Short mmCIF file of all heavy atoms in Angstrom, two decimals:
data_model
loop_
_atom_site.label_atom_id
_atom_site.label_comp_id
_atom_site.label_asym_id
_atom_site.label_seq_id
_atom_site.Cartn_x
_atom_site.Cartn_y
_atom_site.Cartn_z
N GLU A 363 4.45 -16.44 -8.38
CA GLU A 363 5.87 -16.76 -8.55
C GLU A 363 6.51 -17.21 -7.20
O GLU A 363 7.22 -18.20 -7.13
CB GLU A 363 6.64 -15.55 -9.04
CG GLU A 363 7.37 -15.81 -10.39
CD GLU A 363 8.05 -14.45 -10.75
OE1 GLU A 363 9.09 -14.16 -10.13
OE2 GLU A 363 7.50 -13.90 -11.70
N GLN A 364 6.16 -16.39 -6.16
CA GLN A 364 6.68 -16.74 -4.84
C GLN A 364 6.17 -18.12 -4.37
O GLN A 364 6.91 -18.91 -3.77
CB GLN A 364 6.21 -15.67 -3.83
CG GLN A 364 7.20 -14.52 -3.72
CD GLN A 364 6.69 -13.36 -2.92
OE1 GLN A 364 5.58 -13.42 -2.39
NE2 GLN A 364 7.58 -12.43 -2.66
N PHE A 365 4.93 -18.38 -4.66
CA PHE A 365 4.30 -19.61 -4.29
C PHE A 365 5.09 -20.77 -4.97
O PHE A 365 5.41 -21.79 -4.28
CB PHE A 365 2.82 -19.63 -4.68
CG PHE A 365 2.09 -20.82 -4.24
CD1 PHE A 365 1.48 -20.88 -2.99
CD2 PHE A 365 2.00 -21.97 -4.99
CE1 PHE A 365 0.80 -22.05 -2.59
CE2 PHE A 365 1.38 -23.12 -4.62
CZ PHE A 365 0.77 -23.13 -3.37
N ARG A 366 5.32 -20.59 -6.27
CA ARG A 366 5.94 -21.70 -7.04
C ARG A 366 7.37 -21.93 -6.46
O ARG A 366 7.82 -23.08 -6.39
CB ARG A 366 6.00 -21.34 -8.45
CG ARG A 366 4.64 -21.52 -9.17
CD ARG A 366 4.88 -21.80 -10.70
NE ARG A 366 3.59 -21.92 -11.35
CZ ARG A 366 2.81 -23.01 -11.38
NH1 ARG A 366 3.16 -24.04 -10.70
NH2 ARG A 366 1.68 -23.01 -11.99
N ARG A 367 8.06 -20.83 -6.20
CA ARG A 367 9.45 -21.04 -5.71
C ARG A 367 9.43 -21.73 -4.35
O ARG A 367 10.25 -22.59 -4.08
CB ARG A 367 10.08 -19.62 -5.56
CG ARG A 367 11.53 -19.60 -6.01
CD ARG A 367 12.17 -18.21 -5.97
NE ARG A 367 11.42 -17.23 -6.70
CZ ARG A 367 11.00 -15.99 -6.31
NH1 ARG A 367 11.21 -15.60 -5.08
NH2 ARG A 367 10.36 -15.18 -7.01
N LEU A 368 8.50 -21.34 -3.52
CA LEU A 368 8.48 -21.93 -2.21
C LEU A 368 8.01 -23.41 -2.22
O LEU A 368 8.49 -24.21 -1.51
CB LEU A 368 7.39 -21.13 -1.31
CG LEU A 368 7.22 -21.43 0.13
CD1 LEU A 368 8.47 -20.95 0.84
CD2 LEU A 368 6.04 -20.64 0.61
N ALA A 369 7.18 -23.68 -3.20
CA ALA A 369 6.62 -25.04 -3.33
C ALA A 369 7.73 -26.12 -3.63
O ALA A 369 7.80 -27.13 -3.04
CB ALA A 369 5.57 -25.06 -4.37
N ALA A 370 8.52 -25.76 -4.62
CA ALA A 370 9.68 -26.68 -5.04
C ALA A 370 9.13 -28.04 -5.14
O ALA A 370 9.71 -28.97 -4.57
CB ALA A 370 10.83 -26.48 -4.06
N GLY A 371 8.00 -28.18 -5.80
CA GLY A 371 7.49 -29.59 -6.09
C GLY A 371 6.59 -30.13 -5.01
O GLY A 371 5.97 -31.20 -5.19
N ARG A 372 6.44 -29.43 -3.94
CA ARG A 372 5.54 -29.88 -2.82
C ARG A 372 4.04 -29.59 -3.13
O ARG A 372 3.68 -28.89 -4.01
CB ARG A 372 5.90 -29.19 -1.53
CG ARG A 372 7.22 -29.55 -0.95
CD ARG A 372 7.51 -28.99 0.35
NE ARG A 372 7.53 -27.47 0.29
CZ ARG A 372 7.47 -26.68 1.35
NH1 ARG A 372 7.29 -27.21 2.52
NH2 ARG A 372 7.44 -25.35 1.25
N SER A 373 3.21 -30.30 -2.37
CA SER A 373 1.71 -30.18 -2.54
C SER A 373 1.28 -28.69 -2.21
O SER A 373 2.02 -28.02 -1.43
CB SER A 373 0.96 -31.08 -1.76
OG SER A 373 1.04 -30.78 -0.36
N ILE A 374 0.09 -28.33 -2.66
CA ILE A 374 -0.47 -27.07 -2.31
C ILE A 374 -0.61 -26.93 -0.73
O ILE A 374 -0.25 -25.95 -0.24
CB ILE A 374 -1.86 -26.91 -2.97
CG1 ILE A 374 -1.73 -26.86 -4.46
CG2 ILE A 374 -2.62 -25.74 -2.37
CD1 ILE A 374 -3.00 -26.92 -5.24
N ARG A 375 -1.05 -28.01 -0.09
CA ARG A 375 -1.27 -27.96 1.31
C ARG A 375 0.04 -27.71 2.04
O ARG A 375 0.15 -26.87 2.93
CB ARG A 375 -1.85 -29.28 1.79
CG ARG A 375 -2.27 -29.31 3.28
CD ARG A 375 -2.67 -30.68 3.73
NE ARG A 375 -3.74 -31.29 3.02
CZ ARG A 375 -5.05 -31.07 3.16
NH1 ARG A 375 -5.47 -30.25 4.07
NH2 ARG A 375 -5.95 -31.68 2.43
N GLU A 376 1.12 -28.49 1.66
CA GLU A 376 2.37 -28.30 2.28
C GLU A 376 2.94 -26.92 2.06
O GLU A 376 3.55 -26.33 2.96
CB GLU A 376 3.41 -29.40 1.75
CG GLU A 376 3.14 -30.76 2.29
CD GLU A 376 3.83 -31.80 1.49
OE1 GLU A 376 4.18 -31.56 0.26
OE2 GLU A 376 4.08 -32.91 2.03
N THR A 377 2.75 -26.40 0.88
CA THR A 377 3.36 -25.10 0.58
C THR A 377 2.69 -24.01 1.35
O THR A 377 3.30 -23.10 1.94
CB THR A 377 3.24 -24.75 -1.01
OG1 THR A 377 3.67 -25.91 -1.68
CG2 THR A 377 3.97 -23.54 -1.36
N MET A 378 1.34 -24.09 1.42
CA MET A 378 0.53 -23.13 2.15
C MET A 378 0.91 -23.15 3.66
O MET A 378 0.80 -22.05 4.32
CB MET A 378 -0.89 -23.34 2.01
CG MET A 378 -1.59 -22.72 0.72
SD MET A 378 -0.95 -21.08 0.26
CE MET A 378 -2.15 -20.01 1.13
N ALA A 379 1.38 -24.24 4.20
CA ALA A 379 1.80 -24.20 5.65
C ALA A 379 2.91 -23.27 5.80
O ALA A 379 3.09 -22.69 6.91
CB ALA A 379 2.26 -25.69 5.98
N ASP A 380 3.74 -22.99 4.83
CA ASP A 380 4.85 -22.02 4.92
C ASP A 380 4.53 -20.70 4.48
O ASP A 380 5.11 -19.62 4.82
CB ASP A 380 6.06 -22.48 4.15
CG ASP A 380 6.73 -23.79 4.69
OD1 ASP A 380 6.43 -24.02 5.87
OD2 ASP A 380 7.41 -24.45 3.95
N TYR A 381 3.52 -20.54 3.52
CA TYR A 381 3.29 -19.30 2.86
C TYR A 381 2.55 -18.35 3.76
O TYR A 381 1.42 -18.57 4.24
CB TYR A 381 2.38 -19.58 1.61
CG TYR A 381 2.27 -18.43 0.68
CD1 TYR A 381 3.27 -18.11 -0.29
CD2 TYR A 381 1.22 -17.58 0.71
CE1 TYR A 381 3.21 -17.03 -1.18
CE2 TYR A 381 1.02 -16.48 -0.15
CZ TYR A 381 2.04 -16.31 -1.06
OH TYR A 381 1.95 -15.17 -1.86
#
Side-chain angles (χ1 to χ4, degrees):
E363 237 180 74
Q364 272 175 349
F365 183 90
R366 284 206 184 280
R367 220 175 305 127
L368 189 67
R372 291 184 299 163
S373 71
I374 292 170
R375 188 189 303 277
E376 287 164 335
T377 311
M378 277 316 269
D380 293 342
Y381 191 83

